[in-house]
Amino acid sequence: MVNLKPLSVEDVSPFYEWLNDDLSIKYSLSLFQSLRSKDHIDNWFLSVVNDSKNFNRGIFLNDSNKLIGYAGICNISKLNRSGEYFIFIGDRQEWGKGIGSLVTKLILDIGFGNLGLNRIMLTVSEPNYAAIKAYENAGFQLEGRMRKACFRDNQFHDKLLMSILEDEWHDRINLGIK
């Protein structure tokens, strides 16, 4: 269904449309709310492509090799063996097809297997029900709530803090739940 590959500078074009689509960025990074011009997007994207401290991958459709978003793990602490999962599917035509769930599981495999992490966390906006369901299906557990931490649609809403541990991930694999 999808292939995760490193992003290159040539992959920036779809982000011009996605980051100027209010629905696509509604629950994404707050930074995305201010990246509207081509120059701002180019500068941000260049920092993502050249980022060696975090694990970033483009999400490409297998059948067409079309870029539909990106995902990875940022804020990696080698000492604590932890990081923060993120995903952004900018191409709304690909929403609701299970791609987010699949990518989440692929990135968790890499995080626990290749990167040697013990804990992967994330934050998610409470109204983003589809994302919460995908994260729960991948094994993430609710750790806490950041009250009124996000402002969208002229109102505040909570962000949820979720995480999964390496042994929980491996238990899911051993039980065939993955």
Side-chain angles (χ1 to χ4, degrees), residues 10-29:
E10 294 78 30
D11 295 321
V12 70
S13 295
F15 285 89
Y16 300 141
E17 179 183 341
W18 300 338
L19 297 183
N20 281 288
D21 178 358
D22 289 337
L23 188 55
S24 289
I25 64 171
K26 184 172 184 174
Y27 297 121
S28 295
L29 288 172

Side-chain angles (χ1 to χ4, degrees), residues 85-149:
Y85 174 70
F86 67 88
I87 184 170
F88 173 67
I89 299 177
D91 186 337
R92 288 196 281 134
Q93 291 182 326
E94 302 305 325
W95 290 7
K97 296 181 179 180
I99 292 172
S101 294
L102 174 61
V103 169
T104 300
K105 292 172 183 176
L106 291 171
I107 295 290
L108 290 176
D109 263 343
I110 294 166
F112 293 126
N114 300 16
L115 301 177
L117 300 179
N118 180 60
R119 179 178 184 276
I120 300 174
M121 57 85 62
L122 61 83
T123 60
V124 59
S125 296
E126 189 172 37
N128 195 349
Y129 307 112
I132 293 168
K133 182 178 177 185
Y135 300 146
E136 288 172 342
N137 288 340
F140 280 90
Q141 296 181 31
L142 181 66
E143 281 192 349
R145 172 181 303 271
M146 295 181 287
R147 299 178 307 139
K148 295 187 177 183

